[in-house]
Amino acid sequence: MGMRLLVVDDQAIVRAGFVAILGAEDDITVVGEAAEGATAVSMAAELAPDLVLMDIRMPGMDGLTATRLITRHSSRTRVLVLTTFDLDAYVYEALRAGASGFLLKDSEPEDLLSAIRVVASGDGVLAPAVTRRLIEAFAHGAPVHADAAEVLDRLTHREREILVLVATGLSNAEIGARLELAVGTVKVHVSAVLSKLALRDRVQATIFAYESGLIRPAGMPTG
């Protein structure tokens, strides 16, 4: 079966545009549309889509609250946030709430489709450098979460090392080249990190690395 998507945006013409693009793909089925967050939450619970394409700024329940509720109640459904600005505090909070990445509304259709497939496959959305820049911008000066710092003790030295490299935006192949490890070995370590820290994907791992104090907002390890 193909990917099942729920499209959420308060503007009907925008939703129609997304549905037209997605509906032309053989591996994507739009199973529902919602104009605000509360409807999105109920439809996500009823339809269990693989991915929710989520607008953030909507009347009533916004996309931030909806994202938090959807990801809290389903480990299977992923959320891809849509925004007008790449540096947006709402987007950062949505990522913290469990979204697997974000995409600008003026992105090209092929970029939208690529991002959807990446997120639906279980990884963070494309453009990790932009995601990292967003996280750095809004994590700057934020207090380190003591509980997150304690959770780091679950990781081995190698897993911590790999978490730092994931948080700096490196791919598995780039991490393997840096550490002289096979890509398959890197994948095993990344999976172990996500499992031990109960994280959904690489985007969540990047946020955790900042909020645990493992990475400074400037992008350098704390030592």
Side-chain angles (χ1 to χ4, degrees), residues 21-73:
I21 293 171
L22 300 173
E25 301 298 306
D26 293 336
D27 62 335
I28 295 176
T29 300
V30 176
V31 295
E33 300 178 43
E36 50 83 37
T39 304
V41 172
S42 61
M43 292 185 72
E46 176 185 355
L47 300 172
D50 298 303
L51 186 142
V52 178
L53 200 58
M54 179 74 75
D55 188 18
I56 288 294
R57 304 186 184 192
M58 298 180 290
M61 181 187 292
D62 63 18
L64 173 60
T65 303
T67 295
R68 182 178 294 111
L69 293 173
I70 290 171
T71 58
R72 179 184 299 166
H73 291 101

Side-chain angles (χ1 to χ4, degrees), residues 152-168:
L152 276 175
D153 291 338
R154 300 174 186 172
L155 303 182
T156 65
H157 174 74
R158 175 64 86 186
E159 288 166 350
R160 282 195 184 210
E161 190 175 24
I162 285 180
L163 174 56
V164 168
L165 296 177
V166 167
T168 57

